[in-house]
Every structure is written in structure tokens, then in C-alpha cells.
């Protein structure tokens, strides 16, 4: 059997570059080398390079997304997208690969752009009856009326960069006087921000994948942060407990899994995804969905796959096979 050339893209242009490289390296480590020839591709602000262990960094030809290895032109049968943030999670790379006719493992370009924009994603899902927190929106340059914000969303509240991941640009605000400083922090990450009401309850994360042709939710993970909320330290520096399966009732587990699958189908997603919810007054409230979630050893999707009895080689192979069917 002729092995397929797989480009595993990692890095990106956002604050999540290091986590993305960890994810990409995890994918490279677990892909079946009897089926695939794997090429780690770093997409960075300073350039696009293949960083294969057997070679010095090889520049990528952006005209057709190819590389030249010792005089031989290498093209790719599929791209495994493990870039968190721009340009891999917001639709830019998806559109580029679509133009080139190269299959890639994440959702399509429009769906990626939609889900990366918290404001727009929530607006779509609310129309389908998905419950969300009350929110207030700001663009850079808008006049800030703190009393108006508090009147709408209450206190405490969360101030978030609208298009950023891994809790960069996120603050929990307890008093009105802290709002302007928190807004300034968010504007360092994005020119749009979303301010959301605080929902008291149990936070959970649900991976949803198309596994062997069927949309299915993975076991639910409960997030117990040592910090005030599930921030970057909690996610990646061990400042949280991630309990899989979650310590919630079977009824709650079933409810949030079906809700996560509903989100996946409404938004026409594919590949590996992870949706975040909070159980507030017994009901799951949608927070956000990640369409290129973390795949490093500390990440939630690998934990959930293990509990589901799906090995990482099987999980990653399935994603590629699904991408090649399209």
C-alpha cells in the first residue's frame, strides 16, 4: 500500500503557539507510520517550515503548499490541522487549503470563522434554543458605559477577547471600578470583546467527533480550577483538576452530551471538537466550542478518548480518514 503524505501543521500567529506545537508533536508521535509519511510543518509569523528530524528546516512553497526534499518535490494528501488560534482555527488556513484542493482535518472555513467568533457563534446557537449567558458587546473605540454593562450582565462578570482561545484576554470582574482595566486587557488580544454574566455551577467539557461515520460525544470532563476560573494556568500549568468522567448525574451527562452533539450538527462541524458548558440551576449553558482543541498530553480530548477506549493512533487515524472521504 502506497503511504500517504500527511502534513501536521502547528504553531500559528497567536498567543497559543507553544501549546499548538505540543499538540502537533503529539499527533506526529502517534500517527501510524506504516500508513503515513508524516511531515511536521511549523506555520509561524517568521515563516513556514517543515521541521523534520531527518533534515534541516525546509521552507514551504506557499504557492501549492509543497516542500522540496533533496531535489524531490513533496505534496500532501491531507493536512492535520493542530493550530489553535489564527490562522488555523479562524478559517484562514481552511480557505487556503480549500483553494488548493488539499483535504484538512478541521471544520470548513466558514464554520471555523463562525465558531472562532464567540459573539456570532452564540447568536446562531441561541436561535436553535441553546442556552447561553447574557452578554454585552464592545468594539475597540466604543464609548465604555460601565454602569450600562453592569445593569445588563450583573456582577461578577467575565470580560473576554471575542476571538482568542486558551483564556488569553479573560478577566473575572467583581466590582464596576475594575471593568475598564479588564476591558483594556481584552483589547490587547482582540479588537472585539464580549462581556458575559457569571453563571454559578459546574463547568464541563465535552469532546465531539465524527467517529467511523457517526457523530458521537466523548466522556464528559469536569473542570475544577484552583484559580478563580479556568484560565491559562488552570488549563496548561496544572492549576486545575480535570475529572473524566465528570462527577455529575447520569441524567446530566446524557443531557450535556446530547447538547454538545446538537451544537456539532447545527454548526456543521467535523474533525476533533470540544464544547464547554456550565451546569447552572441544573441546566447546561453553552460557553464556547473549540474546533482545533488541544491535543498535548495535558489536554482534555486525549483524556476523554482514553476513557472511551479510543487510542490516540486510532483517534488521529479516524480524523484523517474522515477528511479524505470529503
Amino acid at each position: 500500500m502506497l503511504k500517504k503524505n500527511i502534513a501536521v501543521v502547528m504553531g500559528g500567529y497567536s498567543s497559543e503557539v507553544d501549546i499548538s506545537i505540543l499538540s502537533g508533536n503529539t499527533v506526529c508521535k502517534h500517527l501510524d507510520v506504516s500508513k503515513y509519511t508524516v511531515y511536521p510543518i511549523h506555520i509561524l509569523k517568521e515563516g513556514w517550515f517543515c521541521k523534520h528530524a531527518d533534515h534541516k528546516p525546509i521552507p514551504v512553497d506557499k504557492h501549492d503548499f509543497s516542500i522540496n526534499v533533496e531535489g524531490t518535490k513533496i505534496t500532501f494528501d491531507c493536512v492535520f490541522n493542530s493550530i489553535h488560534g489564527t490562522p488555523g482555527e479562524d478559517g484562514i488556513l481552511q480557505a487556503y487549503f480549500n483553494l488548493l484542493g488539499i483535504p484538512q482535518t478541521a471544520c470548513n472555513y466558514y464554520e471555523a470563522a463562525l465558531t472562532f467568533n464567540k459573539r456570532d457563534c452564540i447568536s446562531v446557537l441561541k436561535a436553535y434554543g441553546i442556552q447561553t449567558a447574557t452578554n454585552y458587546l464592545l468594539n475597540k473605540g466604543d464609548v465604555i458605559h460601565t454602569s450600562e454593562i453592569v445593569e445588563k450582565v450583573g456582577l461578577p462578570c467575565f470580560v473576554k477577547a471575542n476571538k482568542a482561545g486558551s483564556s488569553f484576554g479573560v478577566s473575572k470582574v467583581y466590582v464596576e471600578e475594575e471593568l475598564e482595566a479588564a476591558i483594556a486587557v481584552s483589547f490587547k488580544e482582540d479588537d472585539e470583546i464580549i462581556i458575559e454574566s457569571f453563571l454559578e455551577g459546574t463547568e464541563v467539557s465535552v469532546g465531539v467527533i465524527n467517529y467511523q461515520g457517526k457523530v458521537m460525544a466523548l466522556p464528559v470532563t469536569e473542570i475544577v480550577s484552583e484559580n478563580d476560573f479556568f484560565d491559562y494556568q488552570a488549563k496548561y500549568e496544572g492549576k486545575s483538576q480535570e475529572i473524566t468522567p465528570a462527577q455529575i448525574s447520569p441524567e446530566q451527562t446524557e443531557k450535556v452530551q446530547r447538547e454538545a452533539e446538537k451544537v456539532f450538527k447545527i454548526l456543521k462541524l467535523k474533525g476533533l471538537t470540544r464544547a464547554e458548558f456550565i451546569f447552572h440551576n441544573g441546566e447546561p449553558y453553552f460557553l464556547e466550542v473549540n474546533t482545533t482543541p488541544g491535543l498535548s498530553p495535558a489536554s482534555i480530548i486525549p483524556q476523554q478518548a482514553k476513557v472511551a477506549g479510543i487510542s490516540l493512533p486510532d483517534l488521529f487515524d479516524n480524523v484523517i480518514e474522515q477528511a479524505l472521504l470529503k
Side-chain angles (χ1 to χ4, degrees), residues 90 109-122 124 267:
D90 56 1
Y109 58 92
Y110 171 74
E111 290 79 9
L114 174 65
T115 53
F116 195 67
N117 187 309
K118 297 179 180 74
R119 174 192 66 192
D120 294 353
C121 184
I122 286 169
V124 169
L267 298 175

PDB file of all heavy atoms in Angstrom, residues 90 109-122 124 267:
ATOM      1  N   ASP A  90      -9.451  29.961  12.721  1.00  0.00           N
ATOM      2  CA  ASP A  90     -10.396  31.024  12.365  1.00  0.00           C
ATOM      3  C   ASP A  90     -10.802  31.004  10.894  1.00  0.00           C
ATOM      4  O   ASP A  90     -11.444  31.919  10.408  1.00  0.00           O
ATOM      5  CB  ASP A  90      -9.808  32.395  12.714  1.00  0.00           C
ATOM      6  CG  ASP A  90      -8.462  32.662  12.064  1.00  0.00           C
ATOM      7  OD1 ASP A  90      -7.972  31.798  11.309  1.00  0.00           O
ATOM      8  OD2 ASP A  90      -7.882  33.734  12.321  1.00  0.00           O
ATOM      9  N   TYR A 109     -13.966  26.452   6.214  1.00  0.00           N
ATOM     10  CA  TYR A 109     -13.535  27.826   6.507  1.00  0.00           C
ATOM     11  C   TYR A 109     -14.633  28.698   7.092  1.00  0.00           C
ATOM     12  O   TYR A 109     -14.380  29.446   8.041  1.00  0.00           O
ATOM     13  CB  TYR A 109     -12.918  28.482   5.269  1.00  0.00           C
ATOM     14  CG  TYR A 109     -13.814  28.554   4.055  1.00  0.00           C
ATOM     15  CD1 TYR A 109     -14.607  29.652   3.819  1.00  0.00           C
ATOM     16  CD2 TYR A 109     -13.831  27.504   3.132  1.00  0.00           C
ATOM     17  CE1 TYR A 109     -15.431  29.716   2.700  1.00  0.00           C
ATOM     18  CE2 TYR A 109     -14.639  27.558   2.017  1.00  0.00           C
ATOM     19  CZ  TYR A 109     -15.451  28.667   1.804  1.00  0.00           C
ATOM     20  OH  TYR A 109     -16.263  28.715   0.706  1.00  0.00           O
ATOM     21  N   TYR A 110     -15.872  28.606   6.574  1.00  0.00           N
ATOM     22  CA  TYR A 110     -16.935  29.457   7.124  1.00  0.00           C
ATOM     23  C   TYR A 110     -17.249  29.055   8.560  1.00  0.00           C
ATOM     24  O   TYR A 110     -17.374  29.898   9.451  1.00  0.00           O
ATOM     25  CB  TYR A 110     -18.202  29.388   6.269  1.00  0.00           C
ATOM     26  CG  TYR A 110     -19.361  30.092   6.942  1.00  0.00           C
ATOM     27  CD1 TYR A 110     -19.414  31.487   6.984  1.00  0.00           C
ATOM     28  CD2 TYR A 110     -20.357  29.367   7.590  1.00  0.00           C
ATOM     29  CE1 TYR A 110     -20.450  32.142   7.645  1.00  0.00           C
ATOM     30  CE2 TYR A 110     -21.390  30.012   8.244  1.00  0.00           C
ATOM     31  CZ  TYR A 110     -21.435  31.397   8.268  1.00  0.00           C
ATOM     32  OH  TYR A 110     -22.453  32.031   8.927  1.00  0.00           O
ATOM     33  N   GLU A 111     -17.384  27.757   8.787  1.00  0.00           N
ATOM     34  CA  GLU A 111     -17.705  27.264  10.135  1.00  0.00           C
ATOM     35  C   GLU A 111     -16.592  27.598  11.124  1.00  0.00           C
ATOM     36  O   GLU A 111     -16.857  27.893  12.295  1.00  0.00           O
ATOM     37  CB  GLU A 111     -17.955  25.756  10.081  1.00  0.00           C
ATOM     38  CG  GLU A 111     -19.229  25.352   9.374  1.00  0.00           C
ATOM     39  CD  GLU A 111     -19.152  25.374   7.854  1.00  0.00           C
ATOM     40  OE1 GLU A 111     -18.039  25.542   7.312  1.00  0.00           O
ATOM     41  OE2 GLU A 111     -20.199  25.224   7.208  1.00  0.00           O
ATOM     42  N   ALA A 112     -15.344  27.551  10.655  1.00  0.00           N
ATOM     43  CA  ALA A 112     -14.218  27.909  11.523  1.00  0.00           C
ATOM     44  C   ALA A 112     -14.292  29.381  11.920  1.00  0.00           C
ATOM     45  O   ALA A 112     -14.121  29.742  13.092  1.00  0.00           O
ATOM     46  CB  ALA A 112     -12.894  27.612  10.820  1.00  0.00           C
ATOM     47  N   ALA A 113     -14.542  30.255  10.943  1.00  0.00           N
ATOM     48  CA  ALA A 113     -14.647  31.686  11.230  1.00  0.00           C
ATOM     49  C   ALA A 113     -15.810  31.965  12.176  1.00  0.00           C
ATOM     50  O   ALA A 113     -15.702  32.776  13.107  1.00  0.00           O
ATOM     51  CB  ALA A 113     -14.812  32.470   9.934  1.00  0.00           C
ATOM     52  N   LEU A 114     -16.923  31.283  11.969  1.00  0.00           N
ATOM     53  CA  LEU A 114     -18.109  31.487  12.809  1.00  0.00           C
ATOM     54  C   LEU A 114     -17.848  31.061  14.249  1.00  0.00           C
ATOM     55  O   LEU A 114     -18.136  31.806  15.190  1.00  0.00           O
ATOM     56  CB  LEU A 114     -19.280  30.694  12.233  1.00  0.00           C
ATOM     57  CG  LEU A 114     -20.563  30.680  13.075  1.00  0.00           C
ATOM     58  CD1 LEU A 114     -21.164  32.071  13.176  1.00  0.00           C
ATOM     59  CD2 LEU A 114     -21.584  29.698  12.479  1.00  0.00           C
ATOM     60  N   THR A 115     -17.297  29.874  14.443  1.00  0.00           N
ATOM     61  CA  THR A 115     -17.103  29.365  15.798  1.00  0.00           C
ATOM     62  C   THR A 115     -15.995  30.100  16.534  1.00  0.00           C
ATOM     63  O   THR A 115     -16.004  30.164  17.766  1.00  0.00           O
ATOM     64  CB  THR A 115     -16.792  27.854  15.779  1.00  0.00           C
ATOM     65  OG1 THR A 115     -15.690  27.608  14.889  1.00  0.00           O
ATOM     66  CG2 THR A 115     -17.990  27.054  15.306  1.00  0.00           C
ATOM     67  N   PHE A 116     -15.033  30.649  15.792  1.00  0.00           N
ATOM     68  CA  PHE A 116     -13.943  31.380  16.430  1.00  0.00           C
ATOM     69  C   PHE A 116     -14.422  32.724  16.971  1.00  0.00           C
ATOM     70  O   PHE A 116     -13.806  33.296  17.861  1.00  0.00           O
ATOM     71  CB  PHE A 116     -12.805  31.597  15.428  1.00  0.00           C
ATOM     72  CG  PHE A 116     -11.509  32.009  16.050  1.00  0.00           C
ATOM     73  CD1 PHE A 116     -10.806  31.124  16.864  1.00  0.00           C
ATOM     74  CD2 PHE A 116     -10.963  33.260  15.830  1.00  0.00           C
ATOM     75  CE1 PHE A 116      -9.597  31.482  17.443  1.00  0.00           C
ATOM     76  CE2 PHE A 116      -9.755  33.630  16.407  1.00  0.00           C
ATOM     77  CZ  PHE A 116      -9.073  32.741  17.220  1.00  0.00           C
ATOM     78  N   ASN A 117     -15.530  33.217  16.440  1.00  0.00           N
ATOM     79  CA  ASN A 117     -16.111  34.479  16.880  1.00  0.00           C
ATOM     80  C   ASN A 117     -17.198  34.167  17.898  1.00  0.00           C
ATOM     81  O   ASN A 117     -18.307  33.754  17.545  1.00  0.00           O
ATOM     82  CB  ASN A 117     -16.682  35.220  15.664  1.00  0.00           C
ATOM     83  CG  ASN A 117     -17.149  36.619  15.994  1.00  0.00           C
ATOM     84  OD1 ASN A 117     -17.912  36.836  16.936  1.00  0.00           O
ATOM     85  ND2 ASN A 117     -16.700  37.583  15.210  1.00  0.00           N
ATOM     86  N   LYS A 118     -16.877  34.312  19.198  1.00  0.00           N
ATOM     87  CA  LYS A 118     -17.811  33.919  20.254  1.00  0.00           C
ATOM     88  C   LYS A 118     -19.170  34.587  20.082  1.00  0.00           C
ATOM     89  O   LYS A 118     -20.215  33.966  20.250  1.00  0.00           O
ATOM     90  CB  LYS A 118     -17.230  34.257  21.624  1.00  0.00           C
ATOM     91  CG  LYS A 118     -15.935  33.525  21.978  1.00  0.00           C
ATOM     92  CD  LYS A 118     -15.433  33.948  23.355  1.00  0.00           C
ATOM     93  CE  LYS A 118     -14.152  33.232  23.740  1.00  0.00           C
ATOM     94  NZ  LYS A 118     -12.977  33.749  23.012  1.00  0.00           N
ATOM     95  N   ARG A 119     -19.136  35.881  19.757  1.00  0.00           N
ATOM     96  CA  ARG A 119     -20.377  36.653  19.602  1.00  0.00           C
ATOM     97  C   ARG A 119     -21.274  36.049  18.523  1.00  0.00           C
ATOM     98  O   ARG A 119     -22.471  35.798  18.747  1.00  0.00           O
ATOM     99  CB  ARG A 119     -20.021  38.092  19.240  1.00  0.00           C
ATOM    100  CG  ARG A 119     -21.194  38.996  18.913  1.00  0.00           C
ATOM    101  CD  ARG A 119     -20.694  40.298  18.298  1.00  0.00           C
ATOM    102  NE  ARG A 119     -20.067  40.050  16.990  1.00  0.00           N
ATOM    103  CZ  ARG A 119     -19.346  40.948  16.335  1.00  0.00           C
ATOM    104  NH1 ARG A 119     -19.107  42.137  16.864  1.00  0.00           N
ATOM    105  NH2 ARG A 119     -18.841  40.665  15.156  1.00  0.00           N
ATOM    106  N   ASP A 120     -20.709  35.798  17.353  1.00  0.00           N
ATOM    107  CA  ASP A 120     -21.507  35.309  16.237  1.00  0.00           C
ATOM    108  C   ASP A 120     -21.959  33.867  16.456  1.00  0.00           C
ATOM    109  O   ASP A 120     -23.083  33.496  16.102  1.00  0.00           O
ATOM    110  CB  ASP A 120     -20.706  35.416  14.935  1.00  0.00           C
ATOM    111  CG  ASP A 120     -20.434  36.863  14.544  1.00  0.00           C
ATOM    112  OD1 ASP A 120     -20.974  37.775  15.209  1.00  0.00           O
ATOM    113  OD2 ASP A 120     -19.671  37.088  13.588  1.00  0.00           O
ATOM    114  N   CYS A 121     -21.085  33.055  17.033  1.00  0.00           N
ATOM    115  CA  CYS A 121     -21.425  31.663  17.311  1.00  0.00           C
ATOM    116  C   CYS A 121     -22.602  31.565  18.281  1.00  0.00           C
ATOM    117  O   CYS A 121     -23.563  30.817  18.047  1.00  0.00           O
ATOM    118  CB  CYS A 121     -20.204  30.935  17.874  1.00  0.00           C
ATOM    119  SG  CYS A 121     -20.459  29.182  18.161  1.00  0.00           S
ATOM    120  N   ILE A 122     -22.550  32.348  19.344  1.00  0.00           N
ATOM    121  CA  ILE A 122     -23.636  32.357  20.319  1.00  0.00           C
ATOM    122  C   ILE A 122     -24.944  32.809  19.676  1.00  0.00           C
ATOM    123  O   ILE A 122     -26.013  32.241  19.930  1.00  0.00           O
ATOM    124  CB  ILE A 122     -23.265  33.257  21.524  1.00  0.00           C
ATOM    125  CG1 ILE A 122     -22.220  32.560  22.399  1.00  0.00           C
ATOM    126  CG2 ILE A 122     -24.494  33.616  22.358  1.00  0.00           C
ATOM    127  CD1 ILE A 122     -21.602  33.460  23.453  1.00  0.00           C
ATOM    128  N   VAL A 124     -25.966  32.449  16.611  1.00  0.00           N
ATOM    129  CA  VAL A 124     -26.528  31.361  15.813  1.00  0.00           C
ATOM    130  C   VAL A 124     -27.156  30.302  16.702  1.00  0.00           C
ATOM    131  O   VAL A 124     -28.289  29.852  16.480  1.00  0.00           O
ATOM    132  CB  VAL A 124     -25.446  30.737  14.910  1.00  0.00           C
ATOM    133  CG1 VAL A 124     -25.945  29.443  14.272  1.00  0.00           C
ATOM    134  CG2 VAL A 124     -25.011  31.718  13.830  1.00  0.00           C
ATOM    135  N   LEU A 267     -23.762  23.563  13.774  1.00  0.00           N
ATOM    136  CA  LEU A 267     -22.664  24.353  13.217  1.00  0.00           C
ATOM    137  C   LEU A 267     -21.930  23.640  12.075  1.00  0.00           C
ATOM    138  O   LEU A 267     -20.977  24.184  11.524  1.00  0.00           O
ATOM    139  CB  LEU A 267     -21.672  24.712  14.324  1.00  0.00           C
ATOM    140  CG  LEU A 267     -22.246  25.584  15.457  1.00  0.00           C
ATOM    141  CD1 LEU A 267     -21.216  25.768  16.565  1.00  0.00           C
ATOM    142  CD2 LEU A 267     -22.702  26.935  14.927  1.00  0.00           C
TER     143      LEU A 267
END
